[in-house]
Amino acid sequence: MRVRKVPDAEIKIFNHPLVIKDSQQYREAHYKLFQNQNPIHLEIGMGKGGFILQKAIENPHLNFIGLEKDASILYRALAKISPEIKNVRFILADANKITEIFDDEISVLYLNFSDPWPKNRHHQRRLTNLTFLKKYQLILKKKAVIIFKTDNKSFFDYSLEQFTIGGFKVIEKSLNLHQKQITQIMTEYEKKFHQKKLPIYYLKLSVN
Ligand SMILES: C[S@@+](CC[C@H](N)C(=O)[O-])C[C@H]1O[C@@H](n2cnc3c(N)ncnc32)[C@H](O)[C@@H]1O
């Protein structure tokens, strides 16, 4: 995702009340931020935040955390927040660091249109690379699920293979998620691909 650099984006972000500044201190206790024991859903690489904000509005009984590595992109997400949304927080961090931030406290993990990194030499940067999947195992609760969506068939095939090797079980699979009707909230990328009539590849996986 390309966005114009926001001057001093990091400073602006860290002054925002919904951005978790000292997330490592909350390991195993992120629910305290929300002052309830509701399940926590995490989106890694949430981009401009359209998906997670809509999810939060539609599901006030759940907590949502969006993690994004790019300060300018996260800044754009913050600009969309309306004051009535209480059940969402954001973290500026690279997914590499998630085991330093979370313990096994996440109920649902969303990987929406993660960068496919098509060149083989970049495979370790893919968020569905086995190295990342092992980290996800450590932050997911028992019976947690991963929702994975992409427009990229090669990345889908690669990810399915990695999930299988990593011990995740496929509960739902679609090679054209919105073929019949739209039943789920779409992300910014998803809307663009859907408008171009491209199929969306989808997996719902459980932790064994
Ligand atoms: C292709 S965009 C998709 C954005 C959004 N999920 C959507 O579907 O519209 C991928 C996003 O993931 C973020 N990202 C990529 N690698 C990341 C990483 N290692 N840690 C955190 N965020 C990452 C990028 O900065 C970008 O905002």
Side-chain angles (χ1 to χ4, degrees):
M1 176 177 287
R2 279 186 203 165
V3 294
R4 210 158 14 97
K5 281 260 166 264
V6 175
D8 299 324
E10 287 201 16
I11 297 169
K12 289 171 180 157
I13 286 169
F14 286 129
N15 284 329
H16 195 287
L18 296 187
V19 173
I20 307 173
K21 287 156 255 308
D22 45 3
S23 195
Q24 292 177 11
Q25 284 182 19
Y26 286 99
R27 262 177 73 107
E28 216 179 341
H30 279 83
Y31 67 89
K32 285 186 183 165
L33 287 163
F34 300 99
Q35 298 177 335
N36 62 47
Q37 296 273 356
N38 295 342
I40 299 176
H41 291 207
L42 170 69
E43 184 181 6
I44 295 183
M46 98 284 165
K48 293 182 197 162
F51 171 83
I52 199 165
L53 288 172
Q54 193 56 35
K55 275 289 228 193
I57 290 167
E58 291 183 17
N59 299 279
H61 57 293
L62 299 172
N63 298 321
F64 293 88
I65 298 179
L67 184 139
E68 172 56 55
K69 70 171 183 183
D70 186 301
S72 296
I73 296 175
L74 178 47
Y75 182 77
R76 308 260 172 221
L78 294 175
K80 289 187 190 162
I81 297 176
S82 47
E84 75 273 12
I85 309 179
K86 308 275 185 232
N87 55 336
V88 70
R89 296 290 185 280
F90 296 96
I91 299 175
L92 177 66
D94 193 295
N96 265 322
K97 304 271 184 215
I98 50 164
T99 51
E100 294 166 34
I101 299 171
F102 296 101
D103 224 317
D104 54 343
E105 53 190 319
I106 302 300
S107 297
V108 179
L109 169 62
Y110 301 97
L111 296 171
N112 291 326
F113 301 87
S114 309
D115 297 318
W117 292 107
K119 289 185 181 148
N120 260 339
R121 68 172 187 274
H122 292 147
H123 71 104
Q124 289 198 318
R125 296 183 194 176
R126 297 176 193 151
L127 292 182
T128 52
N129 178 271
L130 195 55
T131 313
F132 278 108
L133 298 191
K134 286 182 182 160
K135 293 187 184 201
Y136 303 154
Q137 292 274 13
L138 298 174
I139 67 161
L140 292 170
K141 292 177 84 153
K142 273 187 193 152
K143 300 190 181 166
V145 297
I146 296 183
I147 306 288
F148 170 79
K149 289 193 261 184
T150 183
D151 61 303
N152 185 310
K153 179 71 165 75
S154 309
F155 182 46
F156 177 81
D157 291 340
Y158 167 86
S159 301
L160 182 54
E161 187 184 86
Q162 295 287 295
F163 280 124
T164 307
I165 297 168
F168 291 87
K169 190 172 153 215
V170 177
I171 315 171
E172 290 173 18
K173 176 178 163 182
S174 173
L175 303 181
N176 194 348
L177 182 61
H178 306 301
Q179 189 173 27
K180 291 184 189 139
Q181 57 174 335
I182 298 166
T183 55
Q184 300 184 6
I185 296 166
M186 288 196 186
T187 75
E188 277 95 354
Y189 268 66
E190 193 167 5
K191 284 177 193 161
K192 281 187 204 159
F193 296 129
H194 185 64
Q195 274 162 14
K196 290 183 186 166
K197 303 202 183 312
L198 295 170
I200 304 298
Y201 301 91
Y202 165 84
L203 290 174
K204 180 174 181 180
L205 306 121
S206 69
V207 180
N208 276 340

